[in-house]
Amino acid sequence: MSTPDAPVARGARRPPPLARSALDRAAHHRTDPEWLEAAWDRARILVVSDGRALAAEGRLVLLRSTELPVASDGALPERMFLGVDADGVPYFAVAQDLPDVPGAAPVGLREVGHELSDLDAGLLITAVSLHNWHSRHRYAPGSGAVMEAREGGWVRVDPDGTHAWPRTDPAVIVLIHDGDPGPAGRCLLGHNAAWTRPGAPAGPRRYSCLAGFVEPGESAEQAVVREVAEEVGVAVRELHYEGSQAWPYPGSLMLGFSAVADPDAPVRLDPTEIADARWFSRADVRAVLGGATGYDFAVAPPSSIAHYLISEWAFA
């Protein structure tokens, strides 16, 4: 495999939808239990359950410590310190059943992440990401002993004092295009095999950017070249890094790229990963992004970095 071109920096643009935050993580407070205890009493607290939280009128529902539901067994939830805002207000998250709040409804990042304020977006993605890590790391990998949350929820410790910190798995995602800047320019999108299984939503097939995890000993650029070759059998060149955002399903950092490929090259699918892949014109993609009907395809949802990459290319 040939070495891919080095990524080229682009000018300042809007960030991907979930790469926004107005939250100061204030990590120095995590090791100060007295400060954390005092902050809890004046904090705004986000309750998360199965990746969802309550929202009303486009804002997350934040509670005071005295408003939190009491568990049936009286157990206290693990507190996850998220940070402070510009006014010094502390924010925490807890994972438990969502309370009943008049006028509020459960929401997830996929549905509303792009619509939230910078503060709310940062709170929700951090809370969901951190809780997902806790739920998967209850036990020490070496001994199997139960691990306890410490430092405001940013460390887990086993009885022997072994520490574990939150991990994020790097993944690459790439918008492949033919290099034509005009309305006839085309991009290559794929329909994941998992989206065609029984129970998949009805309607036009969803097409998105190709993506995959970075393997040990591999650079992000190498991962882009490898994943595209494995999934659709196409060679890419002229890689550009476009931006990143966290994707807590269950705990990834999506590294976004664009790359050029030959639209006349044969597309050879890996059917275990990709059910279909097609070249789409910029004009058709713009129409679908604008809400036009009558097309036989849909694109990734607005909170995803895939949607961001597709939009940036379509309206460049």
Side-chain angles (χ1 to χ4, degrees), residues 82-275:
L82 304 180
V84 299
D85 65 17
D87 296 322
V89 176
Y91 292 82
F92 286 77
V94 297
Q96 59 185 56
D97 291 339
L98 299 178
D100 292 326
V101 176
V107 298
L109 282 164
R110 287 185 176 93
E111 300 88 19
V112 303
H114 60 293
E115 299 173 345
L116 295 174
S117 68
D118 288 0
L119 176 61
D120 281 0
L123 290 172
L124 185 54
I125 197 165
T126 304
V128 173
S129 300
L130 197 54
H131 170 57
N132 284 349
W133 173 74
H134 280 290
S135 66
R136 300 193 311 276
H137 293 82
R138 296 291 181 189
Y139 304 97
S143 66
V146 175
M147 304 190 85
E148 177 183 324
R150 302 270 183 87
E151 296 186 12
W154 289 90
V155 171
R156 294 190 73 85
V157 184
D158 73 7
D160 294 329
T162 301
H163 287 54
W165 288 269
R167 61 170 294 164
T168 295
D169 297 319
V172 293
I173 183 166
V174 55
L175 186 285
I176 303 165
H177 62 94
D178 63 0
D180 185 338
R186 291 182 287 173
C187 70
L188 178 62
L189 304 176
H191 179 78
N192 194 292
W195 302 337
T196 63
R197 292 168 184 163
R205 269 189 169 190
R206 172 160 51 102
Y207 285 79
S208 188
C209 301
L210 301 181
F213 287 102
V214 179
E215 294 186 344
E218 186 176 51
S219 71
E221 293 80 14
Q222 290 169 331
V224 169
V225 174
R226 174 184 55 78
E227 283 288 344
V228 174
E230 290 176 352
E231 294 186 350
V232 296
V234 172
V236 293
R237 64 186 190 278
E238 298 179 35
L239 275 64
H240 293 271
Y241 174 69
E242 303 288 353
S244 67
Q245 73 174 34
W247 192 245
Y249 303 109
S252 304
L253 176 65
M254 304 302 298
L255 306 172
F257 289 82
S258 63
V260 175
D262 181 358
D264 295 324
V267 175
R268 300 184 179 91
L269 303 180
D270 174 1
T272 62
E273 295 282 345
I274 304 296

Side-chain angles (χ1 to χ4, degrees), residues 268-295:
R268 300 184 179 91
L269 303 180
D270 174 1
T272 62
E273 295 282 345
I274 304 296
D276 187 34
R278 294 160 49 191
W279 287 90
F280 297 87
S281 74
R282 179 177 272 109
D284 285 347
V285 172
R286 282 179 177 175
V288 169
L289 288 170
T293 60
Y295 288 84

Side-chain angles (χ1 to χ4, degrees), residues 67-90:
E67 299 173 319
L68 289 176
V70 179
S72 57
D73 59 0
L76 297 176
E78 292 181 347
R79 303 174 185 177
M80 296 176 285
F81 172 60
L82 304 180
V84 299
D85 65 17
D87 296 322
V89 176

